Each structure stands twice: as C-alpha cells, then as structure tokens.
Amino acid sequence: MSPLNLYARVRFCLLLVHTGPRVQRAPGLPCALYLLGRNEFAKLGRMLSRECGVTSSGCPGLRAGTQTARTRVFGSVADAFCNHQGPGLWVPAFAGTTLNVARTHTPIRRARLILPAPCRYVARERRRPMRRTRHPGAKRNMGPLEGIKVIDMTTVLMGPYATQMLGDYGADVIKVESPDGDVTRQIGPTRHPGMGPVFLNTNRSKRSICLDLKNSAGRDAVLRLIETADVLMYNVRPQAMARLQLGYDVVSKLNPRLVYAGVFGFGQDGPYAAKPAYDDLIQGGSALAHLMAIGGDGTPRYVPNALVDRIVGTHAVGAILASVIHRDRSGHGQRVDIPMLETMSSFVMGDHMGGLTYEPPLDKGGYARHLSPDRRPYKTSDGYICVIVYNDKQWDNFIKATGRDDLRTDPKFATFAARAINIDFVYAELARMLLERTTAEWSELLNKADIPTLPMHSLESILTDEHLTAVNFFPVVDHPTEGAIRSMRVPATWSDTPAKPERLAPRLSEHSEEILCEAGFSASEIAALIRDGVTKPAPGPQD
C-alpha cells in the first residue's frame, strides 16, 4: 500500500473516531479501529518512523500483535499524525488523544470536521501558513480573500461594483480595459480626464491593464492571465465572449479550476437570451417602475439609483464565492451565470407576490404597507423625519409618549394584523400627528421612547451624520493623481482578517507592464505589445 493510500485509510479512521461511531464488530471496540489490520498497522509504524520520527521504542504499541493491543495505542498514533501533514492531506489536531476500549468511546474533544478537500479560504486554520511571493504592487493589508486572483473584464457599474467588493475583501483584482478605458471614466465632474467620480467609487482595490482583445496578441495575453486565475468575471453578453473566442468552452480547457462568472441581462435558456440589458430596462421589466407609480402619483418612474446593477453585483459576489468553495472541495471550476432579470424578479416579487402566490390568486399582488401613499419621510412643523412604528411594543411606547390614549380603543390600531389591514388609515393618522412638532422635538421624544427614527438626509448632510462620522465611513484620502478625495469604508468588518483597502482607483493601463511581467512576458515582448497598440505604457505623472 502506498503512503498516500495508507494516509487516506488512517484519515478515514480518525474521521470515524471523531464522529463517535457506535456500531461495533466486537464488544468494546469501535468499528473504526478495524480499518487497520496487522500488516497495515506495521506499515503505519514504518511510515511514522520514516516521516514523523516516531519509533517503536518511543511508541512500543506499534509492534502490537493483537487488535485489542493495537487499539490501546491508537491514540498515540493519532497524536503522531496531528503533527504531520501527509501528501495532499489534512489531519486535525488531537490533543492528548486516548481511547477507552472498555466501552464505546465519546467523540474527541475539540476535533474539527474533516472536509473531503480542505478549503483554504473557509478553514485557513486547518492548513499550514502559505508562503506567498507578493507582486511589486501588492496590497499590504490583506483581507479574507487573500490569494484569490480575479480577472475583471467588466465595465460600467454592475460588474465593477462586484469586483471592487472582491478586491476590498483582499482578492488581487486585475481590471482588463479596452484601449479607450471603462466608459464610466468619462462621467463627470472630474479634475482630470478619465478619472470621474463614478469610476473612482467602483474601481478601487484593482490594478488596471489595457489590452485590445480584438487583436490576437491581446487575446493571447489575456489567456496568459486567465491561466493562473481563480475567477474570471465579465458583463457582456455570452455571445460576445464567444466571438472573442473567450467562451467557457475555451478557457476551461486552459484552466479547469477557473470560476467563469457572467453577469448579463437574461438567462440563456429563454427567448431574451441574446438581448442587451441595462439597469433602467430591468427596473421596468421587474415591476419596480410599476410599484413606483402605485406608491406615487400614478406615473411610472425608475428608482434614482443604479439599484439593479448593485443588487445583481452583490448576488454575483455570493455566487462567485460559493463556486470558489466548491472548486476547492472538488478540484474543478464551473461556469456561473447571474442574469439581471431573474435576479431582480426574485428580489421584487419576494415582497410583492402577495395573493398571486396562490393558485388561483387571492388578489392582484403587492405588499400593502410598502405601497401606502403615506409610507414616506414624514413632514414635521419645520422639516422632515423618518419614523416607523411597527410592532405592538413600539405602538404602546408611541401612545404613551404622545398621550394618544384614544388609539388604544380604536380597533384599527389594536393589533399588528389590524394595522396591516388598515395601513393607509394608520399611516395617514401618523402623518397628521407628526405635523404638530418640530423635527428636533420629535427626534428627542421618539429616541427616548425607543421608537425607530433617523434623520432624512440630503446628499450633503449624510456626510456629516453623527454615526457615520463616528465610524469614519467617509474618510478623505490622498489619491496619487486626483489629490484629496472622499472615499467610503468597507461596510462589513471581520475580527481576524480586516478588509482595509489601500489601492485607490487606477489610471488607465497604470499596471499593464507590471501585470504582463508577472505573467511571464519578457521586456522585449511587452515593448512589442506597446509598439503594436495591443497595450499602453503606464501613464506618466503629468498624463
């Protein structure tokens, strides 16, 4: 038996010991211990002597001739394994493991579940620290995705928002741009051409390389990058990737472990598969504009935010990380499609399916509270305030604070269910009450009564919000070319692997030569790519 197979047998043994099997082949002996026969036990002893320094003199039980005797020393064998990593194998740490052969044993304290193939991103404590050679531009503070390499072939908002999240979390994100650059570079106002605020706020934590993918040399260069990547993300239609000869059928042969993630308009098994899509279209197609009309003045409107792009981008991050975990367990990557219409239909209809959930339908759908005309910031005597009085306890507190004891006897306010049925009446009454005092007076009263409330901010006043200022959510940082700019902190926090992005949004082609060098291109090859217009040199300080 090869050492690898023997390791696997012992590993399975330890797994059964860990889970505490109670099936027995003979009185008092766990079935796990019968997986090693006498000859295999002798081989184990020789292997431990050779690879772990455990000798029969240091562990006499390795010479045991009977199964019962071998059982008594199995704990010391486990202890030997806890200090050794076999080829391609992880064994958990067992502290002072011993086995009681007189009765069925109890599970070993603090032992961890053994995965089929350990995931170095989910269970980093199970592996030896990995030595990494950082590239010249590596970030100093690495987050939970340290070691993941992402090829970002996305533009505009949806894809760049997702890849910025991956970069913020510690991944090495390489943004592949056309010679003209991402179109959001041009959205102003700007201090310098190509560095607009939308681009600055969705492309930090990335390096930029410029490649003309319609040139065969540019395609070959990106394939060199893909060869060692963990994730490739794109947001053009799959048909466009196929025309570039960069479809999954091509790149998966080059890198079978690649997670190939596409964010685009529609699932590829329906009649809209080849249609283009944008945030506005999907807002309309997912019924958001219709809901805005019901809750407003009857005119359909789009939400004044790239809501679809950012929601679908967030879904994409989850799908990508799930695929990375699967890849680390199975050893192979896969294609992942994140379609906009399907994602947003799920997002919207989860709230508003209502009676349409049932067949036949009970109503025409819609969540009444969301659609109430008075579900909005409430006008006070001198401004506006955001308030929600939701559950029974909050309504009790509100009635006490305002002295409106008459509401206790009103059946429309009596229970959660009654308020839900009469939500338009309830919210209209609340709106009338809030007109009676100033915003500051209501804020003080409601906070004392533990009623959920917040200021209604403008785009300027949010920058000075008391809480956001305290947590330094909008730090002012010094960009290498743009000077002082206001950034945003990563919202999530980690106790052990904090995400502290230090790389601000790059200039077009800022890292092209650096990235190509890491991919194995020689100086002369890089010079040829620049000469032929396949890539561009890094811009100078005054460019």
Side-chain angles (χ1 to χ4, degrees), residues 216 366 407 468:
S216 60
L407 297 180
L468 295 176

Side-chain angles (χ1 to χ4, degrees), residues 115-180:
L115 297 174
C119 172
R120 68 179 184 271
Y121 311 112
V122 174
R124 292 185 58 80
E125 71 278 7
R126 300 173 182 170
R127 295 175 61 92
R128 291 177 174 176
M130 298 180 67
R131 293 184 178 180
R132 299 187 183 277
T133 302
R134 292 186 176 178
H135 53 72
K139 293 173 283 188
R140 291 187 294 276
N141 290 319
M142 305 303 285
L145 294 186
E146 176 186 357
I148 292 287
K149 180 179 177 181
V150 178
I151 305 301
D152 176 12
M153 298 180 64
T154 68
T155 61
V156 194
L157 283 178
M158 180 169 56
Y161 180 69
T163 52
Q164 176 173 275
M165 290 177 68
L166 296 173
D168 284 348
Y169 297 169
D172 176 18
V173 178
I174 297 174
K175 183 177 179 69
V176 180
E177 300 189 67
S178 72
D180 295 329

Side-chain angles (χ1 to χ4, degrees), residues 211-225:
L211 288 173
D212 181 0
L213 298 181
K214 295 180 181 179
N215 185 305
S216 60
R219 176 183 174 276
D220 291 344
V222 81
L223 287 174
R224 291 268 287 271
L225 302 181

Side-chain angles (χ1 to χ4, degrees), residues 4 99 130 147 159 172 190 253 264 325 332 381 384 393 421:
L4 177 58
L99 297 179
M130 298 180 67
D172 176 18
T190 65
K253 294 176 182 177
F264 40 78
I325 292 173
H332 58 84
S381 63
Y384 289 88
K393 183 177 184 299
I421 294 172

Side-chain angles (χ1 to χ4, degrees), residues 73 97 149-150 154 257 287 299 349 363 375 431 454-455 490:
V73 301
T97 302
K149 180 179 177 181
V150 178
T154 68
R257 290 175 55 82
T299 303
M349 295 303 286
D363 60 27
R375 181 186 177 249
L454 271 182
V490 177

Side-chain angles (χ1 to χ4, degrees), residues 349-365:
M349 295 303 286
D351 287 348
H352 291 285
M353 187 78 80
L356 297 173
T357 302
Y358 307 96
E359 192 59 42
L362 303 182
D363 60 27
K364 294 184 178 181

